[in-house]
Amino acid sequence: MAERDKELQLLEKRFAELADRAWQQNLFVFTGFLSLAEQEVLWRSAAKAGVHIELYGGMDSAERCMGRFGDPEEFGYEEPFPICAVKIEPLAEKFAENFSHRDFMGAILNLGIDRSTIGDICVEGKCAYVFCTSAMSVFLQETLEQVRHTKVRCVPVEKLEALPEKKLSYREEHVASLRCDGIVSAVWRLSRSQGQTLFSQKKVFVNGRLTENGSQMLKDGDTVSVRGFGKFIFRGEKNTTKKGRLVIGADLFV
């Protein structure tokens, strides 16, 4: 834990340097792909520096995102995020294995690359769509040839808008209120104490921001990510049971 805290402190210092560079030179400065915990450090750094930031990961529902320092209105121009996507597909789908997210991630990281160059990986059947930096897109196309025992190829995705949407599974649960801790516990079928522990362990993020306040009330459309469990979109209150409990909806990412 101490080692991780030290890493985050160094990251905050690095973000402060990037923010200063963007402000001093009036140019957009980008980070690599960041985890949710790293994104929280980015928000804090930007708030201290008074610099505008935006986050984007290639699609609206992306969890790993790049940060961009700089305000288009102040600069008078726009610069897109340097994000590409490649499709990893088997050379012979008929004989390909069934892959998991971990299989694709393992094959990519075994190439010895920096994790910050890779964003979300979306598995679709026996294929995967990988968000990455522009340079990494070329590297993957030239280097990645196998996932587990299956020969594959990497094909660039011309338009990110054409990528398939992440699949959602709708569920309804009974809760006492719209408190975040109660809804998180209900969605993941946890006891009240187990759910509250997730907040003290800094594992719960609402709309990409860390929340340690389990009493925070969720609003329709809020996206909740729980490290180690997954992510869902809160779909609001649907009705009330005869015993006065609320019936809420949630779309779980699968």
Side-chain angles (χ1 to χ4, degrees):
M1 182 65 71
E3 185 65 27
R4 180 57 175 166
D5 289 342
K6 184 177 180 180
E7 290 177 2
L8 293 179
Q9 289 175 1
L10 292 174
L11 189 62
E12 186 168 1
K13 181 180 179 181
R14 173 58 177 160
F15 288 155
E17 294 171 351
L18 295 179
D20 184 65
R21 179 183 168 197
W23 183 78
Q24 293 284 352
Q25 301 181 22
N26 278 359
L27 54 78
F28 291 105
V29 180
F30 298 89
T31 71
F33 286 97
L34 307 172
S35 67
L36 288 172
E38 292 167 339
Q39 289 171 39
E40 183 62 25
V41 176
L42 177 64
W43 285 114
R44 293 202 308 265
S45 300
K48 290 180 180 179
V51 176
H52 178 82
I53 63 164
E54 290 185 31
L55 291 170
Y56 184 59
M59 60 181 176
D60 292 338
S61 59
E63 184 165 299
R64 290 183 60 82
C65 294
M66 276 188 183
R68 185 182 72 175
F69 293 92
D71 189 341
E73 292 188 5
E74 291 184 5
F75 292 173
Y77 72 100
E78 179 69 80
E79 184 173 345
F81 284 77
I83 296 176
C84 296
V86 296
K87 180 182 181 182
I88 304 175
E89 57 184 16
L91 296 181
E93 185 172 351
K94 179 179 179 181
F95 303 105
E97 303 166 82
N98 291 316
F99 301 117
S100 66
H101 179 279
R102 180 175 294 183
D103 293 326
F104 287 108
M105 177 60 72
I108 292 172
L109 295 184
N110 282 340
L111 298 175
I113 65 176
D114 190 322
R115 184 68 177 90
S116 67
T117 62
I118 300 295
D120 282 8
I121 300 175
C122 305
V123 179
E124 185 80 10
K126 295 182 179 182
C127 301
Y129 295 89
V130 182
F131 292 97
C132 57
T133 62
S134 304
M136 189 50 57
S137 171
V138 176
F139 180 78
L140 289 176
Q141 293 173 56
E142 295 176 346
T143 310
L144 185 60
E145 299 179 341
Q146 187 166 316
V147 176
R148 286 176 55 182
H149 304 293
T150 300
K151 297 293 184 180
V152 300
R153 60 174 163 251
C154 292
V155 182
V157 177
E158 298 299 330
K159 294 183 179 180
L160 298 185
E161 298 81 6
L163 290 172
E165 290 291 328
K166 286 190 175 182
K167 294 180 180 179
L168 300 173
S169 175
Y170 181 73
R171 181 191 296 173
E172 291 187 350
E173 299 290 348
H174 294 186
V175 296
S177 71
L178 299 184
R179 282 175 54 119
C180 188
D181 55 2
I183 294 174
V184 165
S185 298
V187 168
W188 303 119
R189 312 286 169 82
L190 304 172
S191 68
R192 182 176 179 181
S193 61
Q194 288 175 320
Q196 291 174 337
T197 298
L198 295 174
F199 289 84
S200 63
Q201 293 178 338
K202 299 183 179 182
K203 291 185 176 182
V204 182
F205 297 79
V206 178
N207 297 325
R209 298 300 308 272
L210 174 68
T211 178
E212 298 178 67
N213 180 16
S215 64
Q216 175 179 336
M217 296 294 180
L218 292 184
K219 303 184 295 296
D220 189 1
D222 282 346
T223 299
V224 182
S225 299
V226 183
R227 287 167 55 192
F229 289 85
K231 180 167 65 172
F232 67 87
I233 302 174
F234 178 57
R235 294 306 186 189
E237 179 183 344
K238 300 305 176 183
N239 53 62
T240 305
T241 68
K242 293 181 179 179
K243 294 185 177 181
R245 290 179 64 79
L246 305 179
V247 180
I248 59 94
D251 275 323
L252 279 71
F253 288 79
V254 296

